[in-house]
Amino acid sequence: MSKNRPFIITFIGDISFLSALLSILLSIASLLSPGFLERHNFSTIPLPIFSHHIMQILLYIILLIASYGFLKLKIWGYWLMITYNTFFLLVNIIWGLQNKQPFISTNVMMTFIELIFILPTKKYFYEENFPS
């Protein structure tokens, strides 16, 4: 069975994979050298759950796994990518409603746009759409 991956899946998967790798490296650098992100003008999404650094690294590892499954056209990769983006969309909307960030921020718009592009790709993750 040969699955040809459309460009949009490759693009979203590669960008997510790269983003997760860079974010893990930045989180580790920040953990080892407090104030590293602030000195170099990087911003991260603070999550008030458990330890900030551990939670960020855990979420980026989940994004790495989701990106891998998404790029390999695995149905679990598709649903994990949907779940990950929906989670961050909801977190950003809740923070917007609590006035912790602007309601229409870059995070909300990028997550929403990514979901718009991911949702129609569902057909590429089912084997019956590909001839043997």
Side-chain angles (χ1 to χ4, degrees), residues 4-55:
N4 293 327
R5 185 171 54 215
F7 175 75
I8 192 67
I9 292 175
T10 302
F11 181 73
I12 291 172
D14 286 347
I15 293 296
S16 297
F17 198 82
L18 181 63
S19 171
L21 280 177
L22 291 175
S23 297
I24 287 172
L25 291 175
L26 288 174
S27 292
I28 291 172
S30 176
L31 188 61
L32 297 176
S33 173
F36 175 80
L37 296 178
E38 292 78 20
R39 284 193 310 267
H40 298 290
N41 294 324
F42 287 106
S43 65
T44 58
I45 300 171
L47 293 172
I49 310 168
F50 304 116
S51 167
H52 172 71
H53 296 292
I54 293 172
M55 195 63 193

